[in-house]
């Protein structure tokens, strides 16, 4: 969970870490049981490491596969910058950037 979202929801970092560890531990116990069932013995060091990695991967949230269009991203970035620094500052910075680009490419 991103820090800004965690702060907004007022979730303590220690609690979030504990929840993640609990989820990985639960997934690891299921994977270990499956391994013991298939192999008829507890996993060795390498297999235990591989199972731990698999448990961590299974408990991660999925990645976004569809990115928003560039125009939408620009609008978000502009709105975020205006909220953080003010419209005047953002517009002046954009004007200076355009002037610099014109000077470079002229």
């Amino acid at each position: 969970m991103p820090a800004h979202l965690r702060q907004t929801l007022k979730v303590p970092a220690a609690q979030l870490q504990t929840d993640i560890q609990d989820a990985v531990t639960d997934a690891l116990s299921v994977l270990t049981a499956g391994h013991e069932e298939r192999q008829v013995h507890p996993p060795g060091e390498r297999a235990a490491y591989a199972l731990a990695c698999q448990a961590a991967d299974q408990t991660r949230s999925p990645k976004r596969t569809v990115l928003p269009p560039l125009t939408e991203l620009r609008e978000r970035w502009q709105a975020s910058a205006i909220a953080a620094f003010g419209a005047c500052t953002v517009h002046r910075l954009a004007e200076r950037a355009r002037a610099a680009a014109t000077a470079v490419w002229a």
Side-chain angles (χ1 to χ4, degrees), residues 51-73:
L51 291 172
C53 290
Q54 189 177 352
D57 287 343
Q58 286 179 356
T59 56
R60 286 194 181 104
S61 57
K63 293 182 179 181
R64 286 183 289 160
T65 55
V66 178
L67 295 175
L70 185 57
T71 54
E72 184 180 331
L73 287 174

Side-chain angles (χ1 to χ4, degrees), residues 16-33 48-61:
L16 182 64
Q17 189 64 30
T18 302
D19 292 346
I20 292 170
Q21 289 171 344
D22 290 345
V24 171
T25 303
D26 293 343
L28 181 58
S29 65
V30 170
L31 290 171
T32 303
Y49 178 79
L51 291 172
C53 290
Q54 189 177 352
D57 287 343
Q58 286 179 356
T59 56
R60 286 194 181 104
S61 57

Side-chain angles (χ1 to χ4, degrees), residues 32-44 47 51:
T32 303
H35 179 275
E36 290 176 357
E37 190 176 299
R38 285 188 311 276
Q39 302 294 329
V40 194
H41 60 80
L51 291 172

